Amino acid sequence: MRKPLAGALLALVLLGAGAPTATAAAPTSAAPAPPAVPAPAVRAVDFAGTVALSNCSGAVVRVPGSQPTDPALVLSNGHCLESGMPAPGAVVVDKPSSRTFGLLDSAGTKVATLRAAKVAYATMTDTDVSLYELTSTYAQLQARYSIQALELNATRPAQGTAIKVVSGYWKRIYSCSVDGFAYRLKEAGWTMKDSVRYTAACDTIGGTSGSPVVDTATGKVVAVNNTGNEDGRRCTMNNPCEVDENGTVTVRRGINYAQQTYGIVACVGTGNKIDLARPGCSLPKP
């Protein structure tokens, strides 16, 4: 067996050999080996911070500027509202709510029942999102249950991004990648913009609506799971179709979709309040 150079020199010293000559050293003309490039980190994605609704999934989320003393927010879909699906063009803001959510730990065990103070924002126009403001702060969730909120990524995900869809309702995690983006996604009377299309491995089902879509490299939320084409029908309920810039319609049976969440970040102001007038906020307004 050939020993590494350093090991051979150490052996000579231990055996009482004289100092090594210059010929024993590595040639001075040899280029040093390039440093190893570490592989991209993959974050462990589990159920901690996700929630189960009565009919959907969701997650306790924060934006980069959220403070520990802020009331926590729960992210889900607009179509998961207890009052029913908002009509096309409708936007719900600051509507009182006492809805409850089952908070899960990393193993998917329910550790608490959380309660909403209001629906801070919800719509099914251009996207499919609801944000509930809780009666608990982030600091209280951390102190009582050792649960931290999932952070919304402030940048748009890229095609090919490895993701996990984490369903608190089913306590199931789906793994796949961002296959691409639908310029427009039409489902019955609703139209969503720039929707995330999954690769086929994320074969999400009913009850996974509202699940956070997590970038496995950063551990941050990049989208919220919301729909899929079940029967191959064209642009009907539970059978969304893609429409490109030229109006061409594409139906992808068995493929599922999510709505990007980076656009929410600019709309959250001081105290975690939704402020649709903030610079850069592009969420639909009432």
Side-chain angles (χ1 to χ4, degrees):
M1 182 181 289
R2 181 175 294 173
K3 293 181 181 179
L5 178 60
L9 294 179
L10 177 60
L12 288 174
V13 172
L14 294 175
L15 290 172
T21 64
T23 57
T28 57
S29 60
V37 177
V42 176
R43 301 292 181 92
V45 177
D46 54 34
F47 295 101
T50 62
V51 300
L53 285 67
S54 57
N55 59 346
C56 288
S57 300
V60 180
V61 297
R62 64 184 299 273
V63 299
S66 295
Q67 300 300 308
T69 54
D70 289 340
L73 298 174
V74 163
L75 170 73
S76 190
N77 285 148
H79 79 253
C80 294
L81 286 180
E82 65 270 40
S83 57
M85 296 187 290
V91 175
V92 178
V93 177
D94 291 337
K95 180 180 179 180
S97 172
S98 58
R99 192 169 196 180
T100 57
F101 312 88
L103 177 65
L104 307 184
D105 65 10
S106 60
T109 301
K110 180 181 174 180
V111 295
T113 297
L114 306 179
R115 187 173 296 277
K118 65 181 179 180
V119 178
Y121 183 87
T123 191
M124 289 179 65
T125 299
D126 296 350
T127 183
D128 182 5
V129 65
S130 61
L131 287 165
Y132 287 86
E133 182 181 300
L134 299 182
T135 57
S136 305
T137 67
Y138 296 117
Q140 289 170 334
L141 297 182
Q142 174 66 39
R144 295 170 183 171
Y145 316 113
S146 298
I147 296 293
Q148 294 184 343
L150 284 68
E151 184 174 329
L152 298 184
N153 202 329
T155 58
R156 186 178 189 270
Q159 185 175 11
T161 297
I163 53 176
K164 290 183 181 292
V165 182
V166 188
S167 171
Y169 184 89
W170 289 113
K171 300 179 177 60
R172 179 177 176 182
I173 298 176
Y174 301 79
S175 300
C176 62
S177 299
V178 175
D179 183 57
F181 302 91
Y183 174 71
R184 296 289 185 268
L185 192 67
K186 295 183 71 68
E187 183 173 358
W190 293 274
T191 300
M192 294 152 278
K193 297 180 179 179
D194 201 21
S195 304
V196 172
R197 180 177 62 246
Y198 304 144
T199 52
C202 281
D203 51 347
T204 52
I205 59 175
T208 64
S209 291
S211 299
V213 179
V214 181
D215 181 335
T216 60
T218 64
K220 296 181 180 181
V221 176
V222 295
V224 57
N225 179 67
N226 80 307
T227 192
N229 188 291
E230 297 180 359
D231 306 312
R233 296 177 184 171
R234 179 185 170 111
C235 315
T236 62
M237 183 66 74
N238 299 320
N239 289 281
C241 62
E242 297 183 24
V243 183
D244 68 13
E245 295 90 335
N246 300 315
T248 301
V249 175
T250 301
V251 173
R252 302 177 190 268
R253 182 176 183 176
I255 294 299
N256 297 288
Y257 301 87
Q259 301 309 307
Q260 298 187 59
T261 51
Y262 75 95
I264 295 172
V265 175
C267 304
V268 181
T270 303
N272 251 15
K273 302 303 181 184
I274 305 301
D275 181 358
L276 301 178
R278 294 189 84 226
C281 178
S282 58
L283 287 177
K285 299 171 177 58

